[in-house]
């Protein structure tokens, strides 16, 4: 079975689906979708010959599946489950999507003051802002999954804040995938637009309860104007049948602050691309992440920070715990362009391998074309410190328990870095429960 | 010896020195005191030619030689020595090697013969003793991993070896405990002589108990607003800077 | 600007010229330009090679035809016309001893500061000088011979020790390893061969000086170095080249084999002509260097100081097969003006308790682009493997670039792998501090840069360390205004 056939499957599906996709009355979107389809045709699915997919081979698993586009609508009691998992959703703007479509019943959108919008994207496709940004930040060229997403997306989160607006309560978007005997896929598109000095906290939470394999392909575009602040957190809790391909692409203006935190525990195969362009001076970004993988999971995280302008700072910390036969990949690239003097860029990647079969591929990279810079990166991979294990055991703690303590000490740092009181309990539970079953 | 006339300087758009007039005769020790931000350290930097300052007026001569037109190294060769407030670390460069290169550069500029390694080592060892410095320090990289006290002692050692005409001490007392302060002050006092002058920049009077100045100048707003004898320092210690600067600034 | 009073006196920027730029005029016995099976047969015939070698060359050539130029490195250059290169040229006279060597050649060496006889004797170095493609003289051969050490030109080894060549040639870098290695395997003309027998500690540093001479001559060196069980050898490789307007290709292959308990130290100072300020001329240096720590407790240590070449593409690597084997890579790479360097190492851990250390110091000035590219791979069987990597870059001037591309692959959880990298501008406060103590700006920069490279220089044999420091100063002339 070649990639060509998989590609053909998508191309032929488009003509059948086109008329059912949202935005039928928006001509610009129709042509954007067609263009993206063409770009997908050009690019084809990535192979491990591509540098950015070197350690993730899709052809073996993902592309064998011919996921259907028609997915059953299904309901789950989302809010209650989230509460059980430690998220007090009463305090958030809850936006729920099931199998790629917005669910009004499951969501609880609170009234917002003027100048703030939290909506599902499909309902605002005639909005000028949407037209101005969709496909402009996340480019489809040479990116098969972004192109596919642009061609096929059905819905997603839309947040817009006008100048000076601060949304205190977090926006918690939940994307549920659930299927039966048939494999399924959904393509979600999120758009976050922050005007000058606005501020918001957004959570993207992916979760699955499936019988058959499924694909979630998500693209989030973030436009940050001067002085704006975005605290973004992504929780990847797909189930073991899931293939998750996600891109989070931000464009930052002067003095903006972008924090992106990733907690990835689920999915048979997970790939996250996080990119930001520090486009104007004094912009700052903090990219953090924790990926936990076990059994046959494959988790690939790729980050790219583009220092385009002077006096920008970036800080990156990614940690991984790899158990059983799982594979972890971290590819962090920092580009400092000629004009980006006085750049301060720090990156760190640390990995813990829990078994002999676990594997990690780490690729921290710098490309620096400006001279007045301070850049550093570190990467460290090892196992649990035997000395520390023994020390705990000598104090009467069982070996298994001691291991957990040490793994939590390693991973928990990423939870501790999260300041939001809304998120902390849930994230703690997430890490705890991963360790319980591992 | 050192004559400063109407010296004005700025950093980017900020005017810091607004016309300094100061004359230091051979053998004299002058203290420059003043509140934070008064321009004390700027004066030390400008005299030694640190980049980043723009001279907007005035002149400075050392033994009649115009200092301001010289590069930093030529000022050093002319006899200006700056003991840094924050001595710089140079990883991988041996302390002895560094000091020998500096001494020979200065000797060469004077037409003197360069010292070979053996003579140099003898010279340095002799200078180390009064500073209570460990010889092992010579083997380490310049200032790398040195404690605050070690760094300051290293500055004085360099001064002792390079034998400048004018020693500028830029807040040399900062970050020193009392024992280290005494050692450093003794080191400086041992270097006092009729042909060597000092400009001691400090915020506190404490250092001047040990390095007794001939004159004390108070700097504020980039100008010398008061000059007196060593008792002026004691007065400042007691009253702060407020009574001189119109109560705006506290010591 | 301040008048310079420091020694060693540094030439004025404007008069800066490639020190070793001159051409020796000797008649060459050359093949016509171009590459085909006949040329390969010609080379093999000229060198009176045994059949197995000719066949090996032809296999490599046929493989090469199917290969593509690698494009992943951060280097840019116009396509090379491989049919426009002369693959064989040799000085006509066949000298048997130093006395018979063409005086022109000897003069060239003198200009290069390599007075073979004196220097060889004074420094205790045996020099196997390679002039263009044919070895012109070997010293200390006798003394080494008494200890059973074989140190000779590659061609000589082919005739006198064909069994060793057949056994080891291509055993570390196979003929189909990569584009340039395949090309080299097909057309290499000469190089060095060295065999240290069991238990022998080679009493002197072995050294080879490479030169590129006749116009349009691609140079394809082949070096094979074998340290038998418990043997030790330190090998120095130094390069200088005459000035040349056209770009020249250099695609060498170096293979090292360390058997049980053996240790090989391989040091390089690379100073090929880098091209002029505008990037005109200069050597394309595409080198494959690899060592196999085949036996338990063996050790291979690469130390390189790369200041020359318009383009450097080179990754001296270690395959740590034997248990407890050790690989090291210490590198200083300098680029100035339009130079491009993409260099680093691969440490492949296969055996238990294997250990590798990587220290890379990159210095970029002018419009130079400097890339560290490295791979650390811990294979599943490599229990308790250790790697430590440190990669530092220093930037001088706002038109240059410094890039770091490490690949870290860990497939065994008992491994301990650490990588640290930093990039920063040369410290202005450091320069001022030195100036305040009377040093000129140039000397301050040299001092700081040498301090930055200290860890690597420390690994070089004494006489090389001195040369390396000088080279560094010359390479960076005029880079700080």
């Amino acid at each position: 079975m070649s990639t060509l056939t998989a590609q053909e499957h998508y191309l032929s599906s488009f003509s059948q689906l086109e008329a059912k996709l949202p935005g039928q009355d928006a001509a610009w979107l129709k042509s954007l979708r067609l263009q993206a389809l063409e770009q997908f045709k050009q690019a084809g699915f990535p192979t491990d010959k591509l540098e950015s997919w070197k350690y993730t081979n899709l052809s073996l698993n993902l592309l064998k599946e011919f996921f259907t586009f028609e997915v059953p609508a299904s309901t789950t009691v989302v809010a209650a489950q989230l509460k059980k998992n430690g998220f007090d959703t009463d305090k958030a703007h809850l936006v729920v999507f099931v199998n790629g479509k917005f669910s009004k019943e499951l969501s609880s959108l609170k009234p917002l003051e003027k100048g703030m919008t939290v909506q599902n994207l499909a309902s605002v496709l005639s909005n000028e802002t949407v037209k101005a940004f969709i496909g402009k930040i996340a480019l489809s060229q040479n990116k098969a999954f972004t192109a596919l997403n642009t061609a096929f997306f059905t819905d997603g989160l839309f947040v817009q804040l006008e100048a000076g607006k601060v949304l205190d309560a977090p926006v918690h978007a939940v994307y549920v995938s659930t299927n039966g005997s048939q494999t399924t896929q959904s393509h979600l598109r999120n758009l976050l637009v922050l005007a000058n000095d606005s501020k918001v906290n957004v959570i993207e939470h992916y979760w699955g309860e499936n019988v058959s394999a499924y694909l979630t392909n998500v693209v989030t575009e973030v436009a940050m104007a001067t002085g704006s602040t975005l605290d973004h957190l992504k929780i990847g809790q797909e189930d073991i049948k899931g293939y998750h391909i996600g891109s989070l692409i931000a464009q930052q203006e002067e003095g903006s602050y972008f924090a992106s935190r990733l907690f990835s525990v689920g999915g048979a195969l997970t790939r996250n691309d996080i990119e930001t362009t520090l486009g104007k001076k004094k912009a700052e970004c903090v990219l953090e992440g924790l990926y936990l993988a076990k059994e046959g999971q494959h988790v690939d995280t790729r980050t790219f920070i583009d220092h385009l302008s002077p006096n920008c700072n970036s800080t990156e910390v990614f940690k991984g715990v790899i158990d059983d036969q799982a594979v972890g990949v971290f590819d962090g690239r920092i580009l400092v362009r000629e004009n980006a003097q006085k750049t301060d860029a720090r990156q760190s990647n640390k990995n813990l391998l829990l078994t002999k079969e676990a594997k990690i591929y780490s690729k921290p990279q710098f490309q620096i074309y400006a001279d007045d810079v301070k850049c550093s990166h570190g990467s460290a991979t090892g196992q649990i410190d035997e000395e520390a294990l023994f020390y705990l055991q000598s104090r009467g703690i069982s070996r298994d328990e001691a291991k957990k303590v040490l793994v939590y000490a390693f991973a928990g740092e990423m939870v501790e870095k999260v300041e939001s009181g809304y998120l902390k309990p849930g994230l703690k539970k997430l890490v705890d429960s991963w360790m319980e079953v591992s | 010896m050192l004559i400063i006339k109407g010296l004005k300087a700025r950093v980017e758009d900020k005017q810091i020195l607004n016309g300094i007039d100061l004359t230091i005769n051979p053998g004299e020790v002058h203290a420059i005191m003043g509140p934070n931000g008064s321009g004390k350290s700027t004066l030390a930097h400008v005299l030694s030619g640190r980049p980043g300052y723009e001279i907007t007026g005035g002149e400075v001569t050392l033994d009649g030689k115009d200092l301001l037109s010289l590069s930093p190294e030529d000022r050093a060769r002319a006899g200006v020595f700056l003991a840094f407030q924050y001595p710089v670390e140079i990883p991988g460069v041996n302390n002895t090697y560094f000091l020998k290169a500096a001494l020979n550069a200065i000797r060469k500029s004077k037409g003197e013969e360069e010292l070979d390694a053996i003579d140099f080592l003898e010279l340095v060892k002799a200078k180390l003793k009064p500073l209570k410095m460990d010889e092992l320090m010579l083997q380490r990289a310049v200032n790398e991993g040195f404690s605050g006290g070690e760094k300051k002692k290293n500055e004085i050692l360099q001064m002792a070896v390079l034998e400048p005409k004018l020693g500028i001490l830029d807040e040399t007392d900062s970050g020193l405990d009392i024992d280290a302060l005494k050692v450093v002050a003794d080191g400086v006092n041992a270097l006092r002589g009729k042909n060597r002058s000092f400009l001691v920049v400090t915020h506190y009077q404490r250092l001047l108990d040990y390095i007794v100045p001939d004159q004390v100048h108070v700097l504020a707003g980039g100008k010398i607003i008061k000059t007196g004898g060593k008792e002026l320092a004691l007065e400042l210690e007691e009253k702060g800077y407020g009574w001189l600067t119109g109560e705006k600034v506290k010591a | 600007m301040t008048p310079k009073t420091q020694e060693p006196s540094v030439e004025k920027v404007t008069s800066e010229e490639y020190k070793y730029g001159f051409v020796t005029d000797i008649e060459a016995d050359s093949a016509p330009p171009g590459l085909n099976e006949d040329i390969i047969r010609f080379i093999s015939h000229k060198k009176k090679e045994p059949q197995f070698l000719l066949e090996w060359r032809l296999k490599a050539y046929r493989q090469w035809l199917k290969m593509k130029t690698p494009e992943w490195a951060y280097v840019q250059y116009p396509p090379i016309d491989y049919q426009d290169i002369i693959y064989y040229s040799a000085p006509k006279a066949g000298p048997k001893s130093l006395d018979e060597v063409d005086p022109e050649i000897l003069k060239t060496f003198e200009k290069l500061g390599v007075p073979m006889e004196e220097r060889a004797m004074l420094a205790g170095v045996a020099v196997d000088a390679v002039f263009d493609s044919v070895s012109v003289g070997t010293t200390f051969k006798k003394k080494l011979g008494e200890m059973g050490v074989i140190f000779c030109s590659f061609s000589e080894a082919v005739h006198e020790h064909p069994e060793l060549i057949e056994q080891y040639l291509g055993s570390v870098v196979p003929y189909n390893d990569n584009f340039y290695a395949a090309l080299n395997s097909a057309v290499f003309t000469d190089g060095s061969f060295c065999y240290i027998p069991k238990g022998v500690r080679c009493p002197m540093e072995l050294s080879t000086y490479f030169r590129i001479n006749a116009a349009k001559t691609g140079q394809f060196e082949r070096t094979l170095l074998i340290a038998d069980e418990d043997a030790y050898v330190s090998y120095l490789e130094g390069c200088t080249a005459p000035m040349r307007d056209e770009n020249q290709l250099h695609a060498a292959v170096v293979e090292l084999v360390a058997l049980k308990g053996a240790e090989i130290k391989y040091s390089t100072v690379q100073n090929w002509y880098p091209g002029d300020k505008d990037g005109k001329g200069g050597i394309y240096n595409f080198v494959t260097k690899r060592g196999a720590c085949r036996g338990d407790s063996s050790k291979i240590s690469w130390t390189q100081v790369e200041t020359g070449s318009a383009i450097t593409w080179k990754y001296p690597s270690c395959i740590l097969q034997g248990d407890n084997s050790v690989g090291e890579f210490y590198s200083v790479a300098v680029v100035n003006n339009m130079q491009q360097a993409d260099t680093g190492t691969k440490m492949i851990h296969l055996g238990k308790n294997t250990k590798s250390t990587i220290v890379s110091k990159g210095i970029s000035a002018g419009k130079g682009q400097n890339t560290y590219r490295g791979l650390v791979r811990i294979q599943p069987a490599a229990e308790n493997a250790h790697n430590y990597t440190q990669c530092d870059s220093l930037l001088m001037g706002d038109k240059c670039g410094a890039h770091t591309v490490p690949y870290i692959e860990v497939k065994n959880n008992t491994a301990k792998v650490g990588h640290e990298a930093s990039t920063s501008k040369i410290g202005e406060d450091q320069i001022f501090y030195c100036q305040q103590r009377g040093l000129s700006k140039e000397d301050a920069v040299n001092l700081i840069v040498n301090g930055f490279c200290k860890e690597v220089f420390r690994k070089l044999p004494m006489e090389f360390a001195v040369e390396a420091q000088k080279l560094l100063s010359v390479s960076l002339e005029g880079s700080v205004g």
Side-chain angles (χ1 to χ4, degrees), chain B residues 19-22 32 43 217-220 222-227:
Chain B
I20 303 269
D21 293 293
L22 179 66
I32 299 273
L43 178 62
H217 310 276
V218 179
L219 200 64
K223 276 189 156 167
I224 291 175
I225 56 165
K226 192 167 177 67
T227 294

Side-chain angles (χ1 to χ4, degrees), chain A residues 51 54-55 341 353 355-356 359-383, chain C residues 74 369 383 395 397-398 400-425:
Chain A
E51 187 62 28
K54 187 178 166 76
Y55 296 115
Q341 297 293 357
L353 297 178
T355 69
K356 287 228 181 308
K359 292 184 183 68
I360 187 79
Y361 301 93
S362 174
K363 198 182 151 200
Q365 300 169 73
F366 271 139
Q367 268 178 286
I368 298 169
Y369 295 93
D371 67 328
D372 193 1
V373 300
K374 278 192 188 129
C375 301
S376 65
H377 67 213
S379 169
T381 296
Q383 60 180 337
Chain C
Y74 293 164
Q369 298 295 329
E383 291 285 309
L395 293 153
D398 59 2
C400 56
H403 319 302
T404 314
V405 191
Y407 294 78
I408 301 153
E409 306 181 2
V410 186
K411 301 171 187 172
N412 183 312
N413 71 322
T414 58
K416 228 181 186 162
V417 180
H419 171 101
E420 279 171 41
S422 74
T423 303
S424 60
K425 191 183 177 175

Side-chain angles (χ1 to χ4, degrees), chain B residues 55-244:
Chain B
I55 310 298
T56 52
E59 59 180 61
V60 179
T61 58
L62 184 71
D63 288 341
K65 198 189 234 178
D66 173 25
L67 272 190
L68 297 179
S69 65
L70 297 181
S71 66
E73 60 267 36
D74 282 342
R75 296 185 202 201
R77 292 166 192 175
V80 176
F81 181 95
L82 172 67
F84 284 58
Q85 184 179 0
Y86 304 107
V88 179
E89 300 188 0
I90 311 178
V93 176
N94 179 284
N95 217 7
T96 314
Y97 180 83
F98 172 70
L99 196 46
K100 180 168 159 261
L103 179 65
N104 281 334
I106 291 171
R107 290 181 70 103
K108 208 176 166 190
S109 75
K110 292 182 187 160
E112 294 170 15
E113 211 174 297
E114 294 180 32
L115 286 189
D116 65 21
I118 297 166
D119 290 344
F120 176 77
L121 212 60
E122 250 169 60
L123 172 78
V124 176
K125 282 183 180 169
K127 306 269 183 187
L128 266 176
K129 276 198 188 121
L131 287 166
K132 300 197 170 96
M133 282 171 75
D134 194 332
E135 273 184 34
L136 286 175
M137 246 174 82
L138 293 172
Q139 302 312 317
R140 289 161 66 184
V142 181
N143 292 324
E144 199 186 30
F146 284 25
S147 70
E150 284 175 331
K151 280 184 182 170
K152 295 295 168 80
K153 283 184 192 173
N154 200 26
E155 293 291 286
I156 305 304
L157 171 69
Q158 292 178 12
M159 183 158 69
V161 170
L162 300 180
E163 299 183 324
K165 282 186 196 155
L166 174 69
I168 304 169
L169 309 183
D170 185 8
E171 311 233 5
T172 294
D173 49 333
S174 70
L176 288 189
D177 62 32
I178 193 72
D179 292 334
L181 184 75
K182 277 185 192 159
V183 173
V184 165
D186 287 349
V188 172
N189 287 329
L191 290 172
R192 288 177 75 157
K194 63 180 193 312
N195 291 320
R196 184 170 296 130
S197 313
F198 288 91
L199 186 65
V200 180
V201 173
T202 182
H203 187 81
Y204 299 105
Q205 180 268 339
R206 190 176 68 152
L207 178 67
L208 304 180
D209 285 343
Y210 302 97
I211 304 174
V212 180
D214 297 302
Q215 283 194 41
V216 174
H217 310 276
V218 179
L219 200 64
K223 276 189 156 167
I224 291 175
I225 56 165
K226 192 167 177 67
T227 294
K230 62 186 179 211
E231 61 290 342
L232 178 58
L234 293 167
E235 203 175 346
L236 286 167
E237 176 76 0
E238 200 179 308
K239 297 186 185 170
Y241 292 106
W243 62 284
L244 285 172

